[in-house]
Amino acid sequence: MDSEEGTQQPQLVLAHKLFLLTHPDVNDLDKVRLREEVLEAVVSNDMVPLYETLVSNGVLSLDQKVLDSMRSKNCDELKKLDEKIADAEENLGESEVREAHLAKSLFYIRIGDKEKALEQLKVTESKTVAVGQKMDLVFYTLQMGLFDLDFDLISKSIDKAKKLFEEGGDWERKNRLKVYEGLFCMSTRNFKKAADLFLDSISTFTTYELFPYDTFIFYTVLTSIITLDRVSLKQKVVDAPEILTVIGKIPYLSEFMNSLYECQYKSFFSAFAGLTEHIKLDRYLQPHFRYYMREVRTVVYSQFLESYKSVTIEAMAKAFGVSEDFIDLELSRFIAAGKLHCKIDKVAGVLETNRPDAKNALYQATIKQGDFLLNRIQKLSRVIDL
């Protein structure tokens, strides 16, 4: 999934390589290549803190000469940056002072010193007046948070950015923030909000520092399929021209989306099997791999059963291109978990759907909440009596 437009932030490229380097499904030959690329990126950017961490974790071997060389370069560069700051404060204007502090912030970001980078960004922010420039500093913070998936830092930075937008800010940066927030939501398993934010950003996407446009479409389709109803999926995804121009470049994705919408379940399962490798090897989606697999199967089984009051297990197994035993085991798990509203008549080999009545469900929920409230009141009354 590559894109010619824009350039991905080098630290995020490195973060993905580090993820693959420790992934059990990546073969040893690829890991040898990845280790060389990681070492080259670390040394070329004089990333002393990261190098020391990778050595202590056994990912890289210690080369004291290389480490000393990087430390020496960092000391020299830091000295020059401090001299520029001092010169700007004595002889130049406020904008030059800010630029000098920003250069120091970017230096700490480049070498991977997160704590010092955050401190220096705060200093730079204190020298910044324009809302747009303050927003750019927040984007730098978000990129650092995404490097090591520091969700607390990402969440706070997104909240900070939204407050800044209340003061002003241009649409280009607002649209970029939507993609950052969408990626955060997807990484924290809030697929519904992620899909909404990604779909809002399809026609205005400029966030190439995070990932190429192909990858953005990949995320958009995956999150939409498990959160949108059929009508919305058709309008916003299946027929979206921005998606149609790119989706063919991503293996299995077009077949995955279209076979679901067109109810070609055998083709869907085939494409789904191919897509699982992409999901497993994605650092944002991999932690949610099993959850996503369950949600997709819930969507497709529910869609199939929606058309029937009852259907034989044999017919369903044939439609999906799998064995009857597989379907029986799969559905029994989803029914037990409350994901599917049907029951299995094992003797007759039939599935009978029992779709819940919306009013009845609301009534049951009200009773349940009422019982919970009464229990809380009783406990409270005991405390008051004491």
Side-chain angles (χ1 to χ4, degrees):
M1 293 180 212
D2 297 321
S3 178
E4 294 178 3
E5 296 183 65
T7 306
Q8 193 175 1
Q9 217 263 353
Q11 269 78 3
L12 295 181
V13 176
L14 177 59
H16 182 62
K17 288 177 180 176
L18 286 169
F19 165 75
L20 294 177
L21 196 52
T22 55
H23 199 292
D25 291 348
V26 176
N27 65 55
D28 291 339
L29 278 175
D30 285 337
K31 283 187 177 180
V32 170
R33 174 183 56 79
L34 284 165
R35 191 171 282 106
E36 289 173 357
E37 290 175 1
V38 164
L39 180 61
E40 184 184 350
V42 169
V43 173
S44 63
N45 288 299
D46 302 315
M47 303 178 80
V48 172
L50 181 60
Y51 183 80
E52 290 173 333
T53 302
L54 294 176
V55 167
S56 66
N57 292 340
V59 177
L60 296 178
S61 301
L62 176 63
D63 186 330
Q64 195 61 46
K65 287 183 179 178
V66 169
L67 183 57
D68 291 342
S69 173
M70 288 194 292
R71 281 177 176 159
S72 175
K73 286 179 185 176
N74 285 345
C75 285
D76 291 343
E77 192 166 347
L78 193 56
K79 189 177 178 183
K80 289 176 184 175
L81 288 167
D82 285 334
E83 286 173 358
K84 279 186 179 179
I85 290 171
D87 179 56
E89 287 176 343
E90 286 179 22
N91 306 312
L92 302 171
E94 289 180 2
S95 61
E96 287 82 3
V97 171
R98 180 196 175 275
E99 289 302 314
H101 279 287
L102 177 61
K104 190 175 179 181
S105 301
L106 296 177
F107 163 74
Y108 282 129
I109 291 171
R110 178 173 63 79
I111 68 169
D113 195 331
K114 184 178 171 184
E115 288 183 13
K116 288 184 179 177
L118 290 172
E119 287 173 14
Q120 187 59 37
L121 281 169
K122 284 181 183 177
V123 175
T124 308
E125 187 183 3
S126 69
K127 310 287 182 184
T128 306
V129 177
V131 173
Q133 291 179 331
K134 285 184 179 180
M135 270 304 308
D136 290 338
L137 299 179
V138 175
F139 285 130
Y140 289 132
T141 307
L142 284 166
Q143 288 163 22
M144 280 192 289
L146 289 168
F147 178 81
D148 56 2
L149 298 181
D150 182 344
F151 294 127
D152 184 51
L153 177 63
I154 296 168
S155 178
K156 287 176 181 175
S157 298
I158 289 170
D159 291 341
K160 183 177 180 179
K162 288 178 177 178
K163 285 177 184 175
L164 282 171
F165 279 135
E166 290 173 8
E167 300 172 21
D170 57 89
W171 282 106
E172 192 265 338
R173 288 185 176 92
K174 284 183 180 178
N175 289 326
R176 281 176 65 200
L177 182 66
K178 283 183 183 178
V179 180
Y180 278 87
E181 188 178 2
L183 182 57
F184 167 69
C185 291
M186 186 183 77
S187 303
T188 51
R189 207 177 279 185
N190 187 351
F191 290 115
K192 172 64 178 166
K193 191 172 182 182
D196 292 341
L197 289 164
F198 286 153
L199 288 167
D200 280 349
S201 309
I202 281 184
S203 57
T204 57
F205 179 83
T206 56
T207 323
Y208 295 103
E209 70 271 17
L210 290 185
F211 35 63
Y213 190 62
D214 296 6
T215 305
F216 171 68
I217 294 300
F218 175 69
Y219 292 153
T220 304
V221 172
L222 288 188
T223 53
S224 298
I225 275 176
I226 62 169
T227 56
L228 299 183
D229 57 66
R230 276 179 63 81
V231 175
S232 299
L233 190 69
K234 174 74 170 170
Q235 291 174 346
K236 297 179 180 180
V237 182
V238 176
D239 290 342
E242 296 90 351
I243 290 176
L244 292 173
T245 55
V246 174
I247 198 168
K249 300 176 185 177
I250 306 164
Y252 303 107
L253 192 61
S254 178
E255 189 182 356
F256 176 70
M257 178 182 74
N258 291 314
S259 58
L260 173 66
Y261 185 76
E262 294 165 7
C263 306
Q264 302 293 326
Y265 299 114
K266 199 179 290 186
S267 300
F268 174 83
F269 259 34
S270 174
F272 187 38
L275 264 185
T276 54
E277 290 306 308
H278 290 295
I279 299 169
K280 273 185 186 176
L281 297 177
D282 186 284
R283 65 188 290 254
Y284 303 113
L285 288 171
Q286 189 269 340
H288 315 294
F289 174 70
R290 291 173 67 84
Y291 173 83
Y292 187 81
M293 293 279 283
R294 284 196 303 272
E295 289 300 302
V296 168
R297 278 144 57 208
T298 300
V299 168
V300 74
Y301 294 147
S302 297
Q303 180 175 292
F304 177 85
L305 293 169
E306 190 75 27
S307 308
Y308 301 94
K309 186 164 181 63
S310 66
V311 62
T312 63
I313 296 174
E314 181 188 2
M316 188 170 181
K318 192 175 180 182
F320 282 91
V322 294
S323 68
E324 290 181 40
D325 289 340
F326 176 83
I327 282 291
D328 183 40
L329 181 63
E330 277 275 273
L331 294 185
S332 61
R333 286 174 182 164
F334 285 103
I335 292 167
K339 294 280 188 181
L340 293 177
H341 302 289
C342 64
K343 57 184 179 180
I344 301 173
D345 185 339
K346 187 71 174 173
V347 176
V350 172
L351 292 163
E352 295 179 6
T353 59
N354 52 349
R355 298 183 195 92
D357 176 43
K359 284 186 179 178
N360 187 43
L362 184 63
Y363 174 70
Q364 294 295 335
T366 306
I367 290 173
K368 193 174 180 181
Q369 288 169 358
D371 287 343
F372 176 73
L373 181 61
L374 284 171
N375 287 335
R376 293 292 296 271
I377 291 169
Q378 284 173 350
K379 287 179 182 177
L380 184 62
S381 65
R382 289 191 201 116
V383 173
I384 292 168
D385 289 341
L386 288 171

